[in-house]
Amino acid sequence: MFIFGKSRKGTSAERPSSSGSSFVRHRALSVRSKNGGGGSTQTSPTHRKGFTFASLRGSIQPELSRKLYRVIKSSNNLVSAHENAGRERTNIATQLSEWGEQTGDDGVSDISDKVGVILSELGDVEDNYAHGLEDARGVLKTIRNTEKSVQPSRDSKAKIADEIQKIKVKEPQSTRLVILEQELIRAEAENLVAEAQLTNVTRQKLKEAYAAEFAAVIERAEKQIILAKHGRRLLTLLDDSPVTPGDARESYQEGSAARQILNDAEDDLRKWEPDLDFEPGAGPAGRVATPEREVENARPLPVDDGNYMTPAVAKSDAADAELRTGDNVHTTGVAA
Amino acid sequence: MFIFGKSRKGTSAERPSSSGSSFVRHRALSVRSKNGGGGSTQTSPTHRKGFTFASLRGSIQPELSRKLYRVIKSSNNLVSAHENAGRERTNIATQLSEWGEQTGDDGVSDISDKVGVILSELGDVEDNYAHGLEDARGVLKTIRNTEKSVQPSRDSKAKIADEIQKIKVKEPQSTRLVILEQELIRAEAENLVAEAQLTNVTRQKLKEAYAAEFAAVIERAEKQIILAKHGRRLLTLLDDSPVTPGDARESYQEGSAARQILNDAEDDLRKWEPDLDFEPGAGPAGRVATPEREVENARPLPVDDGNYMTPAVAKSDAADAELRTGDNVHTTGVAA
């Protein structure tokens, strides 16, 4: 068990036994590549390349949402991999059963067919797992969409501040300064709301997404354990004591026992329930995960251009803004 | 829980509740397609097509081993699917951690990094699962190779019998008949041994292969449950109560608690042991699964051409033949 090997570095004093593995492992308590940006350069979607397929597919992301975009893209590959696995399982189930039939050996024929049923159920569970991962992925999109919508707010604030600095240098008396400073305060207020929405959505949806993902892992695991253990019972029904040439095997008598095992497996699967002892944590009821409908372009958060807003005012609006967040992020969905 | 729906048909009397699902399901207690040959026509390797890539790759199988060849081929796809899944998991782990770092939010940064460690461990377990499936697949090859080696024995027996019939019609007095009948008895004796070896290898290796496969399913499941449950503990460390614009979040204090959770996960994984309560069944010790070395061409079982053997003699040789089986099948491995 070398996993987390390096993680022991800190505590190898208590566990000298496993500290030996510290150096053979590439992983630490962190999976973060030491140079923060390193990862993004490897696989980030092509940008600064003008007109490319990536740009057509809208996969050029604002800086803020680029890293999560990669996670969502890789998650899509993960979903496909498990979908393929489920499909192959089902193919194998039928092929194994047909092979057994062709052997002309009643015992091999029946057991291979029943094992095939177990395998194809394993395949169904694998496929459901893929759907569970897809749902979790949908929740991550909510974060990414909020990130996208916050970017313009940051940009406009920075742009106004820039302009003010320029003018202060060139023409300190300009009356435009007053206007611009008012605009800046409004932009800052709007950005305060946007950033609050971002941190709230990020934390709530991050927990929601991985709570859903871990729940899917546990459901697949518990159901496949049920199936595999009944599958092993099936194997014990097949007598594999060697026969000598010229001797016939005793005829196969285990058909009904094998059928009963499949019935037991079905009963156990029907009894299965998710363990609800886990509550990922707070978060308004409205925030339950629903992979949002995809739309072509992201819309920035609504900005009350007209109003002069102080941070204080913004604060009093926060609850309302807070409530709107859910809808905002859902109307800004973008295909990964 | 509609699985096995149709399987209820037989016993729907006892369970009327679930019999309603009987008709929405395509699967029964059997996964066998009603027309036995139907399956093979769909995806059986191209044959009777003369010189093709398939023939170059040696994927033209004798009738006897064709169906198992398909199972082994699909199993290879299954292995690849889970290898890909493991790889994507590891990518996502790093990408998620790098995203968290970029948020500039200490809490999100630490939790996303630690969750990343859990995810990459899930990926490792998935990859080990793929290797377990590959081992089980290697055991199935033992059966296929025996099937291949038995085919010539059946053919030569049939060929001699044919010839005898022809001659009996054309020239009943031919002296060749005596010779041919002696040859036929030898061929029958040799075939008796071959068929005994086939049934013995088939039953033992079928149980061995799927015992290994189910064990791999259970190991992946139990280990991933450990990881997922500790992963959920990590999520609870992230405070996601909404903040109002202008308010700062309390600083993140859970770093050491998060590290402890990873240590707990490692400890639990180290403590994991396979449940040895299961014994797939008899079978000489020498038959433990070892994916045999691949060689280019199948060799038929050795035939004692010289000896006149009656079935009785063959029988007395059986134990010996029985012992040889393991080696024979291992020296007749063929790449899938």
Side-chain angles (χ1 to χ4, degrees):
Chain A
M1 199 62 58
F2 290 124
I3 65 119
F4 304 106
K6 271 192 168 172
S7 73
R8 282 281 159 261
K9 265 193 171 149
T11 60
S12 53
E14 305 101 84
R15 287 200 194 61
S17 59
S18 67
S19 64
S21 66
S22 303
F23 308 99
V24 300
R25 295 294 293 168
H26 306 306
R27 193 178 313 113
L29 267 177
S30 162
V31 287
R32 197 162 285 161
S33 57
K34 287 316 137 229
N35 109 46
S40 65
T41 55
Q42 304 156 357
T43 57
S44 66
T46 57
H47 43 80
R48 287 193 218 66
K49 281 192 181 177
F51 196 67
T52 66
F53 269 120
S55 65
L56 287 171
R57 287 181 36 251
S59 54
I60 294 184
Q61 301 287 311
E63 183 60 39
L64 187 55
S65 58
R66 195 169 291 147
K67 282 184 158 48
L68 194 54
Y69 171 88
R70 287 169 51 220
V71 174
I72 290 166
K73 204 151 176 260
S74 302
S75 302
N76 195 39
N77 300 338
L78 182 67
V79 169
S80 307
H82 286 291
E83 281 172 345
N84 293 339
R87 206 173 304 114
E88 287 301 337
R89 262 286 179 230
T90 316
N91 294 342
I92 292 168
T94 314
Q95 292 166 356
L96 180 71
S97 168
E98 284 168 0
W99 164 79
E101 186 174 36
Q102 165 223 255
T103 61
D105 175 331
D106 290 349
V108 171
S109 177
D110 187 53
I111 294 301
S112 66
D113 188 41
K114 298 285 190 293
V115 167
V117 174
I118 295 288
L119 293 182
S120 95
E121 291 304 320
L122 284 173
D124 283 3
V125 172
E126 196 74 31
D127 190 59
N128 292 337
Y129 175 64
H131 291 116
L133 296 180
E134 179 60 39
D135 292 346
R137 178 172 169 266
V139 179
L140 287 182
K141 287 182 184 172
T142 313
I143 302 177
R144 180 206 55 193
N145 298 337
T146 308
E147 289 178 332
K148 278 186 151 166
S149 68
V150 167
Q151 185 83 62
S153 158
R154 289 186 183 175
D155 297 345
S156 70
K157 189 178 118 189
K159 187 163 148 297
I160 300 171
D162 266 17
E163 207 174 340
I164 289 176
Q165 285 317 308
K166 287 207 196 87
I167 297 183
K168 271 189 175 154
V169 174
K170 286 192 201 144
E171 36 188 325
Q173 306 315 319
S174 164
T175 54
R176 278 202 68 224
L177 271 179
V178 185
I179 307 298
L180 284 171
E181 265 149 9
Q182 286 179 342
E183 277 180 20
L184 180 59
I185 292 168
R186 288 199 296 270
E188 283 172 345
E190 187 274 342
N191 179 249
L192 270 182
V193 175
E195 300 291 350
Q197 292 171 328
L198 178 58
T199 180
N200 290 338
V201 169
T202 298
R203 287 185 170 221
Q204 281 153 352
K205 293 300 179 182
L206 178 65
K207 289 172 73 166
E208 186 178 301
Y210 282 96
E213 183 130 347
F214 290 137
V217 169
I218 290 168
E219 176 172 355
R220 174 183 70 166
E222 290 177 345
K223 287 182 173 177
Q224 292 195 339
I225 286 173
I226 290 172
L227 288 163
K229 288 193 168 174
H230 286 295
R232 299 205 293 194
R233 288 175 61 205
L234 282 172
L235 298 178
T236 59
L237 297 181
L238 187 63
D239 167 25
D240 63 350
S241 52
V243 297
T244 53
D247 284 1
R249 282 201 184 275
E250 290 154 21
S251 67
Y252 173 73
Q253 307 289 355
E254 307 295 345
S256 60
R259 246 192 322 282
Q260 185 53 49
I261 289 175
L262 291 190
N263 294 345
D264 295 346
E266 177 184 11
D267 293 342
D268 291 351
L269 278 185
R270 193 189 293 111
K271 287 197 211 94
W272 181 88
E273 281 178 359
D275 59 336
L276 302 169
D277 65 0
F278 176 73
E279 171 46 53
R287 294 178 176 289
V288 176
T290 55
E292 70 275 9
R293 209 167 146 296
E294 309 285 350
V295 295
E296 267 322 286
N297 299 308
R299 280 215 320 267
L301 292 172
V303 185
D304 304 341
D305 279 321
N307 316 349
Y308 178 94
M309 291 167 77
T310 65
V313 177
K315 210 180 234 169
S316 71
D317 280 5
D320 168 41
E322 189 41 46
L323 288 175
R324 283 207 313 274
T325 312
D327 307 310
N328 294 338
V329 295
H330 276 76
T331 55
T332 55
V334 167
Chain B
M1 197 63 56
F2 290 124
I3 65 123
F4 303 109
K6 273 193 166 172
S7 74
R8 282 279 159 266
K9 266 195 171 149
T11 59
S12 53
E14 305 100 84
R15 287 201 196 59
S17 59
S18 67
S19 63
S21 65
S22 302
F23 308 99
V24 301
R25 293 293 295 169
H26 306 306
R27 191 179 314 114
L29 267 178
S30 161
V31 287
R32 196 162 287 161
S33 57
K34 287 317 137 234
N35 110 45
S40 64
T41 56
Q42 302 156 358
T43 55
S44 65
T46 57
H47 43 81
R48 288 193 218 64
K49 280 191 181 178
F51 197 67
T52 66
F53 268 119
S55 66
L56 288 170
R57 288 178 38 248
S59 55
I60 292 185
Q61 301 288 313
E63 184 60 40
L64 186 55
S65 58
R66 197 169 289 146
K67 282 183 157 47
L68 195 54
Y69 172 89
R70 287 169 52 219
V71 174
I72 291 166
K73 203 150 176 258
S74 302
S75 303
N76 196 39
N77 300 338
L78 182 67
V79 169
S80 308
H82 286 292
E83 282 172 345
N84 293 339
R87 208 174 303 112
E88 287 301 338
R89 263 285 179 230
T90 316
N91 294 341
I92 292 169
T94 314
Q95 292 166 355
L96 180 71
S97 167
E98 285 168 1
W99 163 78
E101 185 175 36
Q102 165 223 254
T103 61
D105 175 330
D106 290 348
V108 171
S109 177
D110 187 52
I111 294 301
S112 66
D113 189 39
K114 299 285 189 293
V115 167
V117 174
I118 296 288
L119 293 182
S120 94
E121 291 304 320
L122 284 173
D124 283 4
V125 173
E126 196 72 31
D127 190 59
N128 292 337
Y129 175 64
H131 291 118
L133 296 179
E134 178 60 38
D135 292 346
R137 179 172 169 266
V139 180
L140 287 182
K141 287 181 184 172
T142 312
I143 303 177
R144 180 205 55 193
N145 298 338
T146 308
E147 288 177 333
K148 277 186 153 169
S149 68
V150 168
Q151 185 82 61
S153 157
R154 290 186 182 176
D155 298 345
S156 69
K157 189 177 116 189
K159 188 163 148 295
I160 299 173
D162 266 18
E163 207 173 338
I164 291 176
Q165 285 317 309
K166 289 206 196 88
I167 297 183
K168 271 187 175 156
V169 175
K170 285 191 204 146
E171 34 188 324
Q173 307 315 319
S174 165
T175 55
R176 277 203 68 222
L177 270 179
V178 185
I179 307 298
L180 283 171
E181 265 148 10
Q182 286 179 342
E183 275 180 22
L184 180 59
I185 292 166
R186 289 200 295 270
E188 284 170 343
E190 187 274 342
N191 180 249
L192 270 182
V193 175
E195 300 292 350
Q197 293 171 328
L198 178 58
T199 180
N200 290 337
V201 168
T202 298
R203 288 186 169 221
Q204 282 153 352
K205 293 301 179 181
L206 178 65
K207 290 172 72 166
E208 185 178 301
Y210 282 96
E213 184 131 348
F214 291 137
V217 169
I218 290 167
E219 175 172 355
R220 174 183 70 166
E222 290 178 344
K223 287 182 173 177
Q224 292 195 340
I225 286 173
I226 291 171
L227 288 163
K229 289 193 168 173
H230 286 294
R232 299 204 294 195
R233 287 175 61 206
L234 282 172
L235 298 178
T236 60
L237 297 181
L238 187 64
D239 167 26
D240 63 349
S241 51
V243 297
T244 53
D247 284 2
R249 280 201 184 277
E250 289 156 20
S251 68
Y252 173 73
Q253 307 290 354
E254 308 295 346
S256 61
R259 249 193 319 284
Q260 185 52 50
I261 289 175
L262 291 190
N263 294 345
D264 295 346
E266 176 185 13
D267 293 343
D268 291 350
L269 278 186
R270 192 189 294 107
K271 287 198 210 94
W272 181 88
E273 281 179 359
D275 58 337
L276 302 169
D277 64 0
F278 175 73
E279 172 46 52
R287 294 179 176 287
V288 175
T290 54
E292 70 276 7
R293 210 168 146 293
E294 309 285 351
V295 295
E296 266 323 285
N297 298 310
R299 280 217 317 269
L301 293 171
V303 185
D304 305 340
D305 280 321
N307 314 351
Y308 178 94
M309 291 167 75
T310 66
V313 178
K315 211 179 231 169
S316 70
D317 280 5
D320 168 40
E322 189 40 47
L323 289 173
R324 282 207 314 275
T325 313
D327 308 309
N328 293 340
V329 297
H330 277 73
T331 56
T332 56
V334 167

